[in-house]
């Protein structure tokens, strides 16, 4: 089977916002495939982002998804996948900016269809040296107190999780299964695919519980980014299996606000955005 790197598109390359050179391909790996050194680099960069209070910071980028107002994320429409791909792209650029030269680690994906719970790298509250694990949770910042209300979400200062039952055969109460993923990847129509993939996406948010189950705050949980990288990977695999399928009726020149340089057309190829997904043995591989 050809690799995801063979997906092609006539879309122009997006304008980079960081030191990343789009001529040098980055590869996103499974969370479980990261080395000890790569995990340390990822954690170090995230810690630096969390400490920033400007538009390079974790709080700023987490806030784009939900609170503070306006809520910018797109759900329940064919823009779901293009918008979140653009969102991941920009977040990743700023994450890479916080890494030492020559030690770039792209966003990893969490394959919840083959793992019986939150990955260990994201679950442990403390690291072996006793330090806080930044992947286990993050402060919720930059939201005016008045925006925490009955209409939006109760006030919170830090993310938390209340995961559901782990292991196979949990049904809707558990994480999506390998066969569910395979069934979605087999769909041939983009509109059908995006609706059913978003359903699996929703199931994961609900399963993690806590902050992740609240759209206005979900992106403040670091595991949000591993979850959405998995969703983006599944779209890339579907594109590989269905070349030329496009994005339904969505205009290719549709802007993906609030991101200044990306339209739907820019998101049709991960290669054009400077990254691809590393090969892995996974239930998420189309037949």
């Amino acid at each position: 089977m050809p690799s995801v790197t063979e997906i092609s598109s006539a879309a122009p390359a997006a304008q980079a916002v960081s030191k990343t050179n789009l001529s040098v391909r980055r590869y996103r790996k499974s969370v479980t495939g990261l080395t000890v050194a790569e995990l340390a680099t990822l954690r170090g960069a995230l810690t630096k982002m969390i400490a920033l209070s400007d538009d390079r910071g974790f709080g700023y980028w987490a806030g784009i998804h939900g609170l503070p107002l306006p809520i910018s994320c797109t759900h329940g429409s064919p823009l779901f996948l293009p918008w979140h791909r653009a969102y991941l792209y920009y977040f990743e650029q700023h994450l890479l900016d916080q890494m030492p030269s020559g030690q770039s680690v792209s966003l990893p994906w969490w394959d919840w269809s083959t793992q019986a719970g939150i990955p260990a790298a994201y679950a442990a509250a403390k690291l072996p040296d006793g330090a806080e694990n930044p992947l286990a949770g993050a402060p919720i910042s930059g939201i005016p107190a008045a925006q925490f209300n009955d209409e939006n979400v109760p006030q919170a200062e830090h993310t938390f999780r209340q995961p559901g039952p782990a292991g196979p055969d949990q049904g809707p109460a558990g994480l999506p299964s390998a066969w569910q993923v395979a069934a979605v990847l087999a769909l041939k129509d983009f509109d059908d695919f995006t609706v059913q993939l978003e359903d699996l996406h929703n199931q994961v948010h609900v399963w993690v519980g806590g902050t992740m189950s609240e759209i206005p705050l979900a992106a403040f949980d670091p595991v949000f980014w591993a979850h959405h990288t998995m969703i983006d990977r599944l779209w890339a695999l579907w594109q590989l299996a269905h070349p030329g399928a496009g994005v339904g009726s969505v205009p290719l020149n549709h802007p993906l606000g609030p991101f200044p340089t990306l339209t739907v057309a820019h998101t049709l190829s991960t290669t054009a955005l400077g990254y691809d997904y590393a090969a892995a043995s996974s239930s998420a591989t189309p037949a």
Side-chain angles (χ1 to χ4, degrees), residues 80-81 84-85 88 109-110 112 193 197-202 204-205 224-237 277:
F80 168 69
L81 290 171
H84 283 86
R85 179 168 283 179
L88 291 174
W109 79 80
W110 165 29
W112 25 255
F193 169 74
L197 181 58
E198 187 170 0
D199 285 344
L200 299 188
H201 150 273
N202 295 343
V204 175
H205 274 280
F224 168 96
W225 302 94
H227 167 40
H228 271 275
T229 303
M230 173 65 172
I231 294 295
D232 185 69
R233 175 176 177 260
L234 293 179
W235 183 23
L237 288 170
Y277 285 95

Side-chain angles (χ1 to χ4, degrees), residues 108-230:
W109 79 80
W110 165 29
D111 187 351
W112 25 255
S113 71
T114 61
Q115 298 168 21
I118 293 171
Y122 285 76
K126 299 282 187 178
L127 300 177
D129 62 2
E132 297 288 333
N133 178 12
L135 298 178
I140 296 170
S141 61
I143 303 173
Q147 292 184 20
F148 289 107
N149 52 48
D150 292 339
E151 181 180 354
N152 292 327
V153 69
Q155 188 162 6
E157 296 182 353
H158 201 277
T159 62
F160 69 100
R161 300 168 186 158
Q162 296 175 312
D169 304 320
Q170 298 294 339
L175 290 167
S177 66
W179 71 263
Q180 286 178 287
V181 169
V184 169
L185 286 172
L187 296 169
K188 296 182 179 180
D189 178 75
F190 176 81
D191 290 333
D192 291 341
F193 169 74
T194 190
V195 167
Q196 294 196 39
L197 181 58
E198 187 170 0
D199 285 344
L200 299 188
H201 150 273
N202 295 343
Q203 187 175 339
V204 175
H205 274 280
V206 172
W207 182 89
V208 176
T211 310
M212 273 280 283
S213 65
E214 301 281 358
I215 287 177
L217 301 179
F220 285 94
D221 188 330
V223 84
F224 168 96
W225 302 94
H227 167 40
H228 271 275
T229 303
M230 173 65 172

